[in-house]
Each structure stands twice: as C-alpha cells, then as structure tokens.
Amino acid sequence: MSRLRDALERGEFVVTGEVAPPLGTDMSAMKRSVEVLGPVTHALNVTDNQGATLHLSSLAASRAVLEAGFEPIFQQTCRDRNRLALQSDLLAAATLGLENVLIVTGDDPRGGDHPQAKGVFDLDSTQLIEIATGMNEGRDMLGREMAGGTGFYIGAAAFPEAEPFDIQSARAIRKIEAGARFFQTQATMDIERFAEAVEAWRPYGVKVIAGILLLKSPRVIDFINTRLAGLMVPDELAERVRGAGDPFEESVQLAIEQVRAVREIADGVHIMPLGADDAVVRILEGAGLA
Amino acid sequence: MIITRPRDWERILRNLDEVHARKVFIMGCGQCATVVHTGGEEEILEAKARLEQEGHEVTGWAVGEVACHSGGTRLETRRNSGSIEEADAVLVLSCGAGVQTVADATSKPVFPGLESVFLGNVVRHGIYEERCQMCGDCVLDLTAGICPVTTCPKGLLNGPCGGMWGGMCEVLTNRECTHVRIQRRLAEQGRVTAHGIVPPKDFSAKLKPGSVNLREGRERGRKRAGSTGEAGR
Ligand code: SF4
Ligand code: SF4
C-alpha cells in the first residue's frame, strides 16, 4: 500500500518533495536529488514535461525513484496525451508498481519549449480523475470490465489563493467528487487564505498538502511574478527576501516559518526548492520535521 | 464568417515559380473574403499590382459570388474561360474551401492567396474573434452560452485551470478566464448546480471530413441530416 496514503490516513503530517526527470537519458542528476530528498520525505512527485518543456517521461522516472527505494507520485498531465494514451499509461503505471498519481491539466504548450505543439487536452483533469477512479474499480472510461484494475491513491492540484475563490473552490470540490483523495496546493503565500480554503475542502474528505516554494532569490521572485501562471508573490514577502543581506538564507527562514504555520492547518507540506535540494533538509529540521 | 488573412507573398511567388507561371488569373470571393477585406475587388487589384511589379502578367480577374459554391464557381470560370485559358496559373483570394472549388473547376494549377484562419464573429468592423470551432457536439447548453471548447485556450470543459489568476486567463493574460465567465453567468441565471462534471467530449462528431446531406435525409424520410459521426463511420 502507498506509504503516502497510509501516513495521511493515520493522520501523520506528511512531507513530499519533487524531482524533475532529465532532458535526455542520463538520470544521474535526478537520482542525486532522489538520494537527498527521498530519506526526508514520504513521497516524491515526478513531474511530467513540467512547464510544457520536454523531459524524459514521468512513467520511467517514477519507476527509477521506486527502484532507488523511495515512493514516487507519478504525475500525469492532460496536455500531451489523448484518452487512449492516458488510460494506457495509467495501466502501465500500475503494473510498474506506482501507487500514487497526481492528475493535473498541464501548462499550455504556448508557454513551453515546443510552442508549435498541439495541446491535446482531450480530457481535462477532473474528467481524468473520474476515469482513474473507475480504473481503481476495474473499469475503463467506457465502463468495461478490465482484466485487472489499478489501485491508485489519486491526487490533484488545488489553488487556495486563486481569485475568484468561489469558482476555483467549486472546481476543487468537483475534483474531490471525481475521486481525488489528496490535494497538493499551489505555493502558499497567505496563511489565512490557505486556512479558509482547507476549511472549505476538508468536509469533503480530502487531505491537503500545502505547497511551500523556496523564494530563493530576487530573480526567482521576478520570474514567478512575470512568467509563472496562477501565482503572485505578495509585496511583503518579496520585499523581505529582496531587502535581506543574504536573500537565500532569508528565503530558507521564510520557508521554515511557512512550514510551521501550515503545520497547524494542513495534512502535510510539499516543498519545492527550485533545485536547492539541500535546503529542504534544513527547512524540515528548522520546522522540527526532520 | 470565414476569416482569412493575407498569405506570405514570398511563398505565393515561389508557388508560381515552381510551375513556371508568368501569366496569372486572380479569383476572389464575393462573400466572406470581401467582407473581411482580403479577397474583394480592392484586394484583387492590389494583388494584381504586386504581381505585375514582380514581372507577372495578369490575364484577368473576377470576384465570384461565393467561391465555395461549386455551381457558382463553375459558372464564373466558364464566364472567364478565355483569360483563365491564357493564364499559366490561378491565384485564389478566398478561404481554402474556395481555393479547392476553383481547383476543381479548372485544369490550371490553382494556388491559395490567403490563409484561412477561423470561423469568426465580427466584433466590430475589422475585428474578428473565434467563438465556435464547429465541434459537432455543442456544450453551450451547459456553459451559459459561452464556448469553452473555443475560447478557453486549452479547450477544457471543466475549469478554471490552475493558471487562472484574478479572474484572468493563464494563456491569454489580457482576457478573462472563460470558465470564470461561465460560472458567473450560470450563477447570475441561478443555474449554478445545473451540472456537476461535464463529461468528456465526443470528438467523433467532428471526424474529418465533415459532410451533411439534407437531400438524402429527406429522400429517406428519416433524419433530416446525415452528418459525420453518424452512420457510415
Ligand atoms: S461547443 Fe463551442 S465549438 Fe462546439 S458547436 Fe458549440 S460553440 Fe461551437
Ligand atoms: S485560465 Fe481559464 S480560459 Fe485560460 S486556459 Fe485556464 S481555464 Fe482556460
């Protein structure tokens, strides 16, 4: 059984991290990340052509995480595959021993490295979650009995600070109704708004893992504010990092404070260190989680 | 309205070169391309001047009533048979449907003079927007008369996606998120819980090439229209 599910259902506060498959076939850099992050997390997300840029598939890289002795969260976006390929990859994932899946819509190809690509979006994430739920019950999306079903712990992305919140929240609730059992959220910036979102969703029986993003430099903040969809760094946080003598140290401190704050509210944290893997251990130690 | 825009002239000239066409006949369209100002009389005369400047001879030109209408286009080519016969190639300033109709009506090499881009709403004179991709499985009944298939850049049926911020779209950041508009209008009309999850779309309703035969439907006395996605696929 998925360790992540087990821990969340026992009420343990979980930690998840993230590794990116390479562009190419050499997985050694990713494996170094896995060695650093694996021991301090319950599970590791393995991204799927993140940011609509080409990488080795999440399927193969998730398997590599498993073989390294850690638990992957296989990510699947709806951008690059139609309903045949999505279902077929879910079946493949199950046979490869992957137990957690995070189903997301995916960034538009226009923002990625292959802007001429056709965005598939044959299904949207809510629909795919519903289909994955059916596959857990042994049926494909046509309702046919399959020769062996899947047993995924199904997760989805959620956006606690997006406005208008009622509309974004209604979508989150539909994802739960479709079968999402855990959420990994967009980076948490405003703890109060995050708490309100958790309060709105928890009655539906979902576990909420709070996204924590390391705002490691002024450049990263600018990048988020100008290039990244669905997120803005509020002025006071941006100023705090920008004005610090050592912005990196300040961002680690900020992340520690954020982890401590959401610890009272969420079911776990998902740490996105933007490549600074060593900082994850420090953040967790600082927050008393490692 | 079928929206067309000018095509890369270098490519047009290359096309003519490839068939060693010095003499050219130009065909326009009296419908969409005239209204959109890409294939009416004025634009034909501009194209003519351009071709002449490049050393081509224009043997004649015509604005067919409706370039995509087989009968009308056959008639138009017959009317101009002399100057078309004299030409080495025909350049058509209409959508791709019109280009093909002309190509069927003459034995000369026929080249597209425009890019066909979408079925457009006329927002204001000269401003066109795509609102419908003619998917054959309309969801406007579920989406308060706002098409997510076309106006959400990802074509999501259940949204908004995670890139929505402050009600605006992730991809076209100067536009409101389609799904925010849909949900708001549904709420204003008291239809918020009209549906839960919109099911996956039936893309077989839009298999290529589309065809509708109203006559066949009447003759058989059954369905009014036989169309793609129904029998025969
Ligand atoms: S759903 Fe959109 S694309 Fe399809 S027919 Fe309706 S308006 Fe056109
Ligand atoms: S922000 Fe809204 S309109 Fe834009 S891609 Fe996402 S769901 Fe579609």
Side-chain angles (χ1 to χ4, degrees), chain A residues 83 106 122 124 127 163 171, chain B residues 154 158 160 167 198 201 203:
Chain A
R83 61 191 74 182
D122 184 23
D124 61 44
Q127 292 163 345
E163 289 290 345
R171 169 120 195 272
Chain B
K154 296 180 185 173
N158 298 284
V198 181
K201 215 164 160 38
F203 285 101

Side-chain angles (χ1 to χ4, degrees), chain A residues 83 105-108 110 121-124 126-127 130-131 141 159 161-164 167-168 171 174 178 229-232, chain B residues 153-167 170-171 179-180 183-184 196-201 203:
Chain A
R83 61 191 74 182
T105 303
D107 299 316
D108 194 89
R110 278 166 269 197
F121 303 115
D122 184 23
L123 303 173
D124 61 44
T126 316
Q127 292 163 345
E130 199 168 45
I131 291 163
M141 74 177 284
F159 307 88
E161 296 175 38
E163 289 290 345
I167 290 175
Q168 194 56 274
R171 169 120 195 272
R174 285 203 298 274
L231 185 64
M232 275 292 191
Chain B
K154 296 180 185 173
L156 308 179
L157 298 185
N158 298 284
C161 74
M164 185 276 289
W165 189 252
E170 151 187 353
V171 183
H179 286 282
V180 169
Q183 294 305 325
R184 204 174 45 220
I197 300 168
V198 181
K201 215 164 160 38
F203 285 101

Side-chain angles (χ1 to χ4, degrees), chain A residues 4-5 7-16 42 45 73 102 153-161 165 169 172-173 175-176 180-212 258-259 261-272 289:
Chain A
L4 179 69
R5 164 190 259 160
L8 281 168
E9 285 177 357
R10 272 201 329 264
E12 194 178 322
F13 189 84
V14 302
V15 177
T16 59
H42 289 80
N45 286 55
I73 300 175
L102 183 84
Y153 189 45
I154 302 171
F159 307 88
E161 296 175 38
F165 179 70
S169 177
I173 290 165
K175 286 181 180 176
I176 306 170
R181 291 291 162 262
F182 71 95
F183 279 156
Q184 287 179 307
T185 76
Q186 178 61 288
T188 310
M189 297 287 164
D190 182 329
I191 303 292
E192 245 166 68
R193 304 245 306 263
F194 177 80
E196 285 165 24
V198 173
E199 206 173 304
W201 300 335
R202 196 169 263 154
Y204 294 86
V206 74
K207 302 290 183 184
V208 184
I209 302 174
I212 301 290
Q258 287 174 325
V259 172
V262 295
R263 205 171 166 179
E264 309 300 314
I265 307 160
D267 300 293
V269 281
H270 175 66
I271 305 198
M272 300 172 269
L289 282 170

Side-chain angles (χ1 to χ4, degrees), chain B residues 6 8 20 25 29 66 78 80 84 86 120 129 145 159 162-163 174 178 199 201 212 215:
Chain B
D8 176 22
H20 311 292
F25 183 89
C29 171
V66 192
R78 228 174 288 143
N80 292 280
I84 293 179
E86 202 191 321
E129 262 179 26
N174 57 350
T178 291
K201 215 164 160 38
V212 173
R215 288 189 191 183

Side-chain angles (χ1 to χ4, degrees), chain A residues 140-151:
Chain A
D140 70 3
M141 74 177 284
L142 304 178
R144 291 179 306 194
E145 261 340 288
M146 303 185 295
T150 58

Side-chain angles (χ1 to χ4, degrees), chain B residues 83-102:
Chain B
S83 29
I84 293 179
E85 210 33 62
E86 202 191 321
D88 305 312
V90 180
L91 180 66
V92 184
L93 301 186
S94 79
C95 71
V99 177
Q100 295 181 63
T101 313
V102 176

